[in-house]
Amino acid sequence: MPPAFRNSHARHSADRRRFLLGTAAALGAAGAAAFGLPGTASARTAQTPRASATGTLYIASDSTAQTYNSGYYPQAGWGQTLPGFFSSSVTVANRAIGGRSSRSFIEQGRLAAIHQVIAPGDYLFVQFGHNDATVGNAERYTSPADYKEYLRNDYIRGTRARGATPVIVTPVSRRSYNASTGQFNVSFPAYVDAAKAVAAEEGAPLVDLSALSRAYLNSIGIEASKNVFLWLNPGQYPNFPNGISDDTHFQEYGATQMSRLVAQAVARLGLPISGEVRNTAV
């Protein structure tokens, strides 16, 4: 692990507390009606306490973005470390959860739970693709064409119907590379293309995390990318006594680099939240 990141666990504790407070506030308003039909208008049965005039940034995504408890350290998702790159005016409510695709996140009522509490001035960051592409898993698999329409109808239009702003995030890169060239491959290209196309068609803000993460990985190289992903030696961390070689999920250091890329992109979008980006210098 790079020396500059040895004390990262302590550095992000305050951000985690702020994240947990924001998520708890959002969940408290959901109530029994949180699992209504996705994409349909519904009255807010309870008002979510507003942390600031800027509002709440919700995240709908999978295990690459989710928040992990201390029993998984140093594993982390980019949504977990994202609060560190915004001012205190922004509350991050990370609803990302492992194993979900754009379709199953809707079918399980998770998008409806967000739509129950999201309000004008809030944001919904949407990143799927990893699980959508699992052809052999009927619960998760979503064709690129269906994925595009879920993004359009449920995530983009359904969020706008509630006065909030959807932000489409292309799927973050895996540790997949061409051994001959040393360059990293585009992960889930059909889903990347679909996400970019629907964002353009709907005029939705886009964070091309696929391209940004790939450029970053190319800049540090194949060997150094092990410090980004969950590559751990046996005995290095108590939570992974046998070590692990995981080319999809991130160590806290890697999750922080991915959330830094997200925040840098948000700063360039020209949204009200763009002016709240902080601490993105490497």
Side-chain angles (χ1 to χ4, degrees):
M1 180 175 293
F5 203 77
R6 288 171 182 165
N7 296 321
S8 63
H9 186 56
R11 189 195 320 164
H12 290 289
S13 61
D15 296 327
R16 281 178 177 159
R17 285 194 295 272
R18 178 155 55 89
F19 157 80
L20 290 171
L21 287 171
T23 302
L27 285 173
F35 293 93
L37 293 175
T40 59
S42 61
R44 287 169 59 83
T45 57
Q47 292 296 319
T48 303
R50 308 319 303 264
S52 69
T54 301
T56 300
L57 187 165
Y58 293 89
I59 300 173
S61 190
D62 52 37
S63 59
T64 63
Q66 83 170 67
T67 295
Y68 294 85
N69 64 38
S70 60
Y72 286 86
Y73 186 78
Q75 186 172 357
W78 64 258
Q80 179 175 350
T81 54
L82 189 62
F85 295 104
F86 285 92
S87 74
S88 58
S89 295
V90 176
T91 298
V92 175
N94 188 7
R95 301 294 185 85
I97 185 168
R100 272 62 178 186
S101 64
S102 62
R103 174 174 60 85
S104 65
F105 197 89
I106 295 168
E107 291 178 343
Q108 294 175 7
R110 297 179 183 277
L111 179 58
I114 294 173
H115 281 167
Q116 183 68 26
V117 295
I118 204 165
D122 289 343
Y123 297 84
L124 177 61
F125 282 49
V126 183
Q127 182 218 242
F128 290 103
H130 288 69
N131 295 305
D132 296 75
T134 53
V135 178
N137 189 323
E139 181 180 349
R140 300 179 182 181
Y141 176 68
T142 310
S143 71
D146 288 343
Y147 163 86
K148 183 178 179 181
E149 294 311 306
Y150 284 127
L151 292 184
R152 183 195 313 279
N153 297 316
D154 296 270
Y155 293 95
I156 296 176
R157 294 182 181 178
T159 298
R160 284 176 170 167
R162 291 157 173 84
T165 301
V167 177
I168 300 301
V169 182
T170 56
V172 67
S173 294
R174 299 185 68 250
R175 189 175 178 273
S176 169
Y177 55 86
N178 184 315
S180 298
T181 65
Q183 296 294 291
F184 283 78
N185 300 318
V186 179
S187 300
F188 319 108
Y191 296 89
V192 172
D193 290 345
K196 292 164 66 175
V198 74
E201 291 164 9
E202 295 293 316
L206 176 76
V207 172
D208 193 355
L209 187 54
S210 170
L212 293 170
S213 58
R214 192 168 67 258
Y216 168 73
L217 293 171
N218 283 333
S219 74
I220 65 172
I222 294 170
E223 189 61 27
S225 70
K226 291 179 180 178
N227 293 320
V228 171
F229 290 89
L230 201 60
W231 275 62
L232 309 176
N233 296 321
Q236 186 177 0
Y237 288 98
N239 292 325
F240 297 88
N242 299 320
I244 189 173
S245 299
D246 184 337
D247 290 324
T248 298
H249 302 98
F250 303 112
Q251 299 185 47
E252 187 178 45
Y253 171 76
T256 300
Q257 302 318 305
M258 296 303 138
S259 55
R260 185 192 311 276
L261 295 174
V262 171
Q264 288 173 340
V266 171
R268 298 189 292 266
L269 287 178
L271 298 169
I273 200 174
S274 299
E276 304 300 327
V277 173
R278 303 285 188 272
N279 310 319
T280 58
V282 177

